[in-house]
Amino acid sequence: MSKLKIAIQKNGRLSENSLELLKNCGIIFQNGGGKLIAEAHNFPIEILFLRDDDIPQYVEQGIADVGIIGENVLVESQKTIPVVEKLGFSTCRLSLAIPKNITYSGLTYFNNKRVATSYPNILSHFFQSQKINASIEVISGSVEIATGVGLADAICDIVSSGSTLLSNGLKEVEKVFFSQAVLVAKALMSPEKQNILERLIFRIRAVRSAKENKYILLNAPNKKLKKIQKILPGMNSPTILPLAQKGWSSLHSVIREDTFWDVIDELKLAGAEGILIIPIEKMIV
Ligand code: PRT
Ligand code: ZN
């Protein structure tokens, strides 16, 4: 029976989340001891541990069938491999930054300037689209020190919290590209592998929906239920069960985690009591 080969980052900012995603999908495998390949015990999948920059090539050449990488690495690689699912973790942006004591006058500031980056393809595409004529200095690491040592007037690098820029005396002035981890797949796959991939994506979606949603239980007097239902943007109509106490009911529903904090006060005002919020293990919609 054929197995789907998935390439994930061996060691770095994508590794932990990639491993956790597979684990939450119920896929069990032995990891560690510097192994480069692991086989899952309970799902037809083989895991290849690679440097993230190598993953697009492995997938393009079909050595791996699918891979998890940042969109920044995918777009920079210029490989035409399709994204089959966005994964929502390792979010970051590629930004232009300049020394913080320089007054920024807008994008034209970059005309005739030297910009250091490890992302020459994304950056030159951006400059072209904005009709900016800058020279790009390609360096592979420690980009944030390039202005300090006189290699460049500005940098274009990955930003997440922004603290690396700050501690290097730089300020973010333009956001060039937004990135998150994505699942990429080779263009042509056997029907058998395609089927495994679809099963994997199904599980990934169930894991992600579960993370984004919470199960909510609350008690309320029957006469207040209508109002409470209006406040709750549940996935379907809520379940309402009578309580032992006459005239009261328990209401169960699913709520998005990010909207919960917005509606909690409203719910209490509307008469909800004993509100419980419970994590969902998996959610099939
Ligand atoms: O060894 P390998 O080649 O596999 O890994 P790598 O060193 O090339 O990449 P790695 O592990 O650093 O990052 C992998 C991916 O994580 C990137 O391609 C991005 O898609 C994503 N990601 C998310 C980040 C960050 N956040 C991030 N903050 N990648 C890098 N950074 C770095 C950035 O380069 C800068 O030095 O963190 C610093 C900025 O962070 P803040 O929080 O101070 O702004
Ligand atoms: Zn890398």
Side-chain angles (χ1 to χ4, degrees):
M1 194 176 101
S2 72
K3 293 189 172 191
L4 190 78
K5 291 198 185 94
I6 181 167
I8 65 171
Q9 190 189 27
K10 182 167 168 46
N11 220 324
R13 287 189 164 83
L14 296 162
S15 313
E16 200 180 311
N17 282 325
S18 304
L19 288 171
E20 193 187 288
L21 179 65
L22 294 177
K23 199 180 107 209
N24 289 339
C25 286
I27 297 169
I28 300 169
F29 56 92
Q30 223 129 43
N31 171 39
K35 273 212 304 196
L36 298 181
I37 299 183
E39 209 166 300
H41 306 311
N42 58 349
F43 195 76
I45 200 167
E46 223 170 61
I47 301 106
L48 274 59
F49 299 94
L50 301 170
R51 282 201 60 181
D52 66 347
D53 315 75
D54 295 335
I55 293 176
Q57 192 180 346
Y58 270 71
V59 174
E60 190 192 42
Q61 295 183 353
I63 297 160
D65 302 299
V66 295
I68 296 178
I69 43 169
E71 282 172 302
N72 52 316
V73 169
L74 172 65
V75 174
E76 184 61 30
S77 77
Q78 296 186 312
K79 305 271 189 239
T80 45
I81 41 176
V83 170
V84 289
E85 191 75 8
K86 298 204 173 208
L87 301 174
F89 61 80
S90 299
T91 52
C92 57
R93 55 197 186 269
L94 192 61
S95 290
L96 282 159
I98 62 171
K100 67 167 185 282
N101 54 347
I102 291 181
T103 314
Y104 183 61
S105 51
L107 258 177
T108 52
Y109 168 84
F110 292 100
N111 271 324
N112 306 314
K113 294 283 197 304
R114 293 165 306 154
V115 186
T117 189
S118 312
Y119 294 88
N121 293 326
I122 296 178
L123 183 58
S124 62
H125 181 266
F126 175 76
F127 278 150
Q128 257 167 39
S129 71
Q130 302 294 323
K131 304 201 167 38
I132 298 295
N133 186 18
S135 76
I136 296 176
E137 306 286 340
V138 186
I139 49 176
S140 59
S142 303
V143 176
E144 60 280 349
I145 62 161
T147 58
V149 297
L151 176 74
D153 307 298
I155 67 157
C156 181
D157 199 13
I158 300 284
V159 180
S160 155
S161 67
S163 62
T164 303
L165 290 184
L166 264 182
S167 59
N168 284 283
L170 296 161
K171 62 178 173 189
E172 183 179 13
V173 291
E174 297 288 344
K175 295 178 177 126
V176 171
F177 184 83
F178 290 89
S179 177
Q180 62 175 288
V182 290
L183 183 70
V184 291
K186 68 179 184 189
L188 287 172
M189 233 180 267
S190 67
E192 214 178 353
K193 285 192 177 181
Q194 189 64 42
N195 178 268
I196 304 170
L197 175 59
E198 274 158 27
R199 283 163 59 201
L200 177 66
I201 292 174
F202 178 83
R203 291 187 186 197
I204 289 173
R205 288 185 183 159
V207 169
R208 287 199 63 199
S209 310
K211 259 211 180 118
E212 286 161 10
N213 292 279
K214 295 277 178 266
Y215 195 74
I216 180 169
L217 295 105
L218 58 86
N219 296 335
N222 290 345
K223 57 181 186 305
K224 305 213 165 148
L225 284 176
K226 264 218 170 77
K227 190 160 182 210
I228 288 173
Q229 278 186 59
K230 275 203 189 119
I231 301 168
L232 279 176
M235 62 189 286
N236 277 315
S237 64
T239 306
I240 294 175
L241 303 167
L243 287 183
Q245 189 179 353
K246 219 170 166 261
W248 280 69
S249 293
S250 167
L251 183 150
H252 302 200
S253 187
V254 171
I255 185 168
R256 282 190 63 88
E257 173 150 46
D258 51 4
T259 58
F260 166 72
W261 294 109
D262 296 335
V263 298
I264 183 73
D265 290 334
E266 247 185 291
L267 284 175
K268 281 189 343 209
L269 264 176
E273 289 180 16
I275 303 171
L276 289 181
I277 304 294
I278 300 170
I280 298 170
E281 171 73 24
K282 302 280 183 291
M283 188 166 140
I284 319 296
V285 286

